[in-house]
Structure formats: structure tokens, C-alpha cells
Amino acid sequence: MTTLGHAVSDPGLDMVVVGVEYDAGASARSGSKTAPDAVRRVAASLFAPGSDRGMWDPALGRRMLDGARIGDIGNIGDVVQMRNGPVLDRLAGAVEAITGSGKLPVVIGGDHSITHAVVRGLLAASEGEIGLIHFDAHTDYLRPARGNWRPSLHHGNVMSWIAGEERVERIVQFGIRQRVDDDPEGGSKTVVWGGRSSIDADVDELLADLPQHLGWHVTIDVDVLDPAHMPSTGTPVPGGFSTHELIDLVCRLVSRRRIVGVDIVELIGEGEGAHRSALAAADVLARTLDAAFRPSAERQSGTESSSR
């Protein structure tokens, strides 16, 4: 592991990982603060210091993350958690510094409320608008929220607060299947591909909802996966994606858009089913980063991605 200062000043790094030991924003089962170390335990090669060779993937017939250098600054958190307290400000500051140094912030939560801090950091480090590609069983949204987020932000309304940010132009949600009392609000900046509707959709139809001029932050709540594939999460909902289906969808979208940040949240890293769930989360994360890195590397070398 390295420090934030060393990571942002190292010209060789492409991505910087931040673990967030925080689950005070969870309204149901706690434990997602244990996820960062659980992911590291099952994905040691992903976080190997100084390596840029990636990993050979026989399914793809090529090396994943070949040429990518990934730094890991460890975890941020508090000994005694304070809901919506200083840890979220430290996270926003870390993401701002990482983004400002030209590197991709990769955040491992933690409950989903941390994504609000990630977005604050992204917006502080850049000009213009961004969009979110949001994989989740829940919308985490009612209507745009503005003002003082500290009294009321939690993992179930985080997208309301993000939608309230003027420079967040679009939120596109995949896998949503939680039933709710109220009909969805019309005319908002959110687009919902409910349930499994995106699995067999034409990729061009999906990409039409993701304006190409935006930089996109990818936020993955692991409960987008079916509980058979992701048992260790706080609010599981039946009828989700398989791990293979999620990876295929993520890669189809991420490889065709400019990605400015990635987070993965809501994994509970301890208890029954945690090891199997961490393996699934680590695989999804690794393939998301590979899909994000390849087009970036090819743009820098002047070549075009074969998937475009």
C-alpha cells in the first residue's frame, strides 16, 4: 500500500484504490465496512504492488488490465462511526485529489451513501457535467434532494442527493426491481432499465441513454446480483442478474464510454456466504476496471478499441 500523497504524485499510476470502512448509512443489516479487506483477500493479484502485467484470462484469451498500474492507499474510516461525519469529507477529498492528478479513483465501500462523497470529489476536481451508470436492485431515489445532506443522507436515498447536484446530468439505472408504493417521478434526469430488461437489449439502445459527451461514474451495488450469486449483502432482492450477466452488461457499457470513477458497495465481508460473495464482487470489479482501462489506454496510444 501507499499513501494518498505518493499515489497522486506518482506519474506511473493509472488507478488508485480507496477502501471505505463505513456503514453508518445502512438502514438494515450492517457489516459493509468490512468489505474492502474482504475484496483484497480474494483478489491479491489485482492489488499487487508495482505490477502492470495484469492477469491472463483464458475466457477472454488475453491479459486483463495489461499495462495498468494500480495503487492502493488502504482504508479510511473512524474507530467510532459517526453518520455522515468526517469520513465522508475525507473520502471526497481523496477522490478530488486522485481525479485532479489524472488517475481513476476506485472506491470499495462501505454502504451506498459513500457514493455521494465520491461524486462530490469528482465534481470538485473537474468542470462540466457527469453522469452515473448505476447498477442496483433499488433506485435509492424518490426525487432530487438539495440543501444540507448531513441530517438525512443514507444508503436508501443517496441517488436523490446525487440527482440534486446541478452538474450531474444523467443517472442511468440497471437491475432495479424493488417494489415501491409510489409511481416513479416523470421528467427527471434518471433513466431506469428495470429488472432484467437490459440483458437482451441491443447495446446501441442502451448506449443511447448514456450521452457520449459526459464522463461517467460507475457505481455498483452488489445487490444488483441475485441472492444466489450474492448472499452476503444487506438488502437482497430476488430476481437479479447472475455474475456472468452483470459482467457482460458492465463491459458492454463501460468499454464504450469515458469512465471517471468506479465504486462498488454494499458487500458484507464477514459471516455466512461472505467469501463466495467477495469472490463475485472482486471479479465484477476487476472486469469493470479492465473495461474502463482498455479504451483509455488505446486512446492514449492513438488506436481504437475493437469493441467500438
Side-chain angles (χ1 to χ4, degrees), residues 3-10 73:
T3 65
L4 176 61
H6 284 133
V8 298
S9 63
D10 184 345
I73 67 170

Side-chain angles (χ1 to χ4, degrees), residues 12-294:
L13 290 182
D14 301 293
M15 309 177 188
V16 179
V17 175
V18 185
V20 188
E21 296 177 315
Y22 178 85
D23 57 11
S27 59
R29 182 182 170 195
S30 63
S32 56
K33 66 182 179 182
T34 63
D37 287 342
V39 172
R40 289 188 182 95
R41 281 194 297 270
V42 301
S45 58
L46 184 62
F47 302 101
S51 174
D52 63 356
R53 297 188 65 242
M55 299 153 280
W56 175 258
D57 187 335
L60 296 176
R62 63 170 176 83
R63 298 194 73 83
M64 290 177 56
L65 291 166
D66 187 17
R69 287 194 59 205
I70 303 174
D72 184 357
I73 67 170
N75 298 337
I76 61 175
D78 294 318
V79 175
V80 178
Q81 293 197 77
M82 179 185 299
R83 181 171 163 182
N84 297 335
V87 65
L88 297 185
D89 296 320
R90 297 203 302 275
L91 174 58
V95 170
E96 180 181 0
I98 293 164
T99 302
S101 68
K103 301 167 178 61
L104 183 75
V106 179
V107 180
I108 306 175
D111 73 63
H112 212 159
S113 62
I114 71 166
T115 301
H116 182 254
V118 175
V119 169
R120 286 196 291 130
L122 291 172
L123 294 175
S126 58
E127 299 179 354
E129 288 72 36
I130 66 171
L132 270 75
I133 305 174
H134 175 203
F135 301 94
D136 205 323
H138 314 82
T139 63
D140 298 342
Y141 175 85
L142 181 60
R143 59 184 61 86
R146 299 178 178 87
N148 182 9
W149 53 268
R150 290 199 191 269
S152 58
L153 171 70
H154 57 80
H155 74 156
N157 67 12
V158 61
M159 288 301 150
S160 294
W161 287 101
I162 291 172
E165 295 282 349
E166 291 185 3
R167 289 169 51 210
V168 173
E169 182 175 310
R170 182 73 60 87
I171 300 172
V172 187
Q173 302 182 312
F174 298 92
I176 307 300
R177 57 192 186 276
Q178 181 195 28
R179 291 180 288 272
V180 295
D181 292 333
D182 298 321
D183 293 345
E185 179 186 85
S188 73
K189 63 179 69 175
T190 62
V191 177
V192 177
W193 286 82
R196 297 167 55 83
S197 61
S198 56
I199 293 297
D200 295 321
D202 182 82
V203 68
D204 290 333
E205 186 179 1
L206 299 174
L207 291 170
D209 285 330
L210 305 174
Q212 195 164 8
H213 71 278
L214 295 176
W216 290 90
H217 175 67
V218 181
T219 179
I220 303 170
D221 183 331
V222 297
D223 69 25
V224 73
L225 292 166
D226 190 85
H229 298 266
M230 181 54 61
S232 193
T233 187
T235 51
V237 182
F241 299 149
S242 70
T243 306
H244 174 76
E245 289 169 336
L246 177 59
I247 288 171
D248 181 67
L249 177 60
V250 169
C251 291
R252 283 195 294 160
L253 301 177
V254 168
S255 64
R256 291 166 170 84
R257 289 296 180 261
R258 179 172 60 91
I259 304 304
V260 297
V262 174
D263 72 54
I264 189 164
V265 297
E266 298 285 348
L267 169 70
I268 294 176
E270 295 179 347
E272 185 177 358
H275 181 73
R276 176 159 54 98
S277 296
L279 284 169
D283 195 24
V284 170
L285 178 60
R287 293 176 186 276
T288 302
L289 298 183
D290 178 66
F293 176 71
R294 291 190 75 214

